[in-house]
Amino acid sequence: MPAKPCRPMLWILSALSALWTVGCDAPAPRDPNALAFQAPPHWSSNGHFAEAAATSWLAAFNDEHLTRLVNNGLADNFDLKSAAARVDAAREQAVIAGSGRWPQLSLTPGYQRAKSNMGGESSESGAFTALFNLSWELDVWGRIKAGQQAAETEAEATGDDYRAAQLSLAARIAQAYFEFTEAQWQATVAAQSVKDRGTIVDLVRGRFNRGLTRGLDLRLVLTDLANAQAQLAQARNDAQLIGKRLQTLLGRYPGNDPAKQEFDATFQLPQPPETLSAGLPAELLERRPDVIAAFKRLRAADSRLESAEKALLPRVTLTGAGGSSSAALTEIIDPRAAAWNLAAGLAQPLLTGGRLQGEIRFNEAKVQEAFNQYQSVALNAFREVEQALAAEAWLRTQEQALREAVEQTEASRKLAVYSYRQGLIEILTLLDSYRSTLNAQSAHLAVQRQLLNNRINLYLALGGGV
């Protein structure tokens, strides 16, 4: 006949389960706009940027090759894969933190063999055992739940870190792509300069052989040619270094010739997209993943403080143990052969040597640390946007001036060659015109790339998606 259920124990379990939900409310959510400084109504660098912020920046460059490289990097980069693993680990840590809210039951099956000597006779006996232990801390005040909420919020912050890592990787790939394209063009300009210097050497050598110029002029142009060749070697070395860095970002082996493996020498530096929407400063707090992550870590610190404070309250625990023993394996599952006990207890911390109070003060300090860290991250985010917006205008002005300088130096170089042939100027003036042309072309390429990098920095600072 099966054993009757123990109704008093069932009643105790039901009552304690009801108490389990008491006091489990989550802490009041913080306001993400609660900062020591007030966000302005518009950006000080460009007050007219009041439209909704751009949600995706990659397609704005209208470069299929760039899009393909970024997508490949997001799929294959090992640092990003590590960040994804950290997200998985943080989620499981939240599961571990919340496991204490549920009953913990363990079963220990075994077999015992004994031998005894009585009256000169020996006997052996064996028995199978199935023992269990039950423990359950009823989270009456929500202490364990607060710790679980802290771990879950921390996991969400780690997810935001992953999203920030995605945006950062996409930006670094795009910027490395533009840097490589610029380096290729810098090498092309340097190679053309070497060719032009060689033409000047032939011109001066011919004049020297006819007695029309001094040996010093020939020495000067040969020195200038050697310097141009050194600049070309440096430009080509810069290109291969950037190419290898880009391949590493893509999660690929840095080959010996990245130009042939990944790029086309005809690539041009694109113009930055004309349209730009920066949104409102206050929107940045809810859009930038690093700012969001910092705010969530502040909330997690709040939950840890709540858990530490509730550790001062009594703990209600339910424990049980029991099992059965039988010489026959089939009989240990018979409930009539089982023996068990169940107990409920209350534990109130009294003397802990200041440990609990120390944990409260420790978590209070961690809350202040997280709050100040959040403000620092938010302030830095505002700075990055203001900085990129201001740089946009100055870089455009610089690019226009350098474009004009390239045109003027090209014209002056042609005029200098003609004047030297006519004996109207010295060789130093001719060489200076070639150096000015090379410097202007190189500076113009550099500022074009800086414009593109700054636009990407702005999109990244605004927290826009890829």
Side-chain angles (χ1 to χ4, degrees), residues 301-316:
D302 276 335
S303 297
R304 293 191 187 96
L305 174 59
E306 179 191 7
S307 179
E309 291 172 339
K310 290 181 177 180
L312 296 172
L313 301 174
R315 297 187 185 183
V316 180

Side-chain angles (χ1 to χ4, degrees), residues 332-355:
I332 64 171
I333 62 175
D334 188 347
R336 293 172 298 181
W340 54 270
N341 65 77
L342 189 64
L346 188 69
Q348 170 63 59
L350 295 177
L351 297 175
T352 61
R355 177 178 58 84

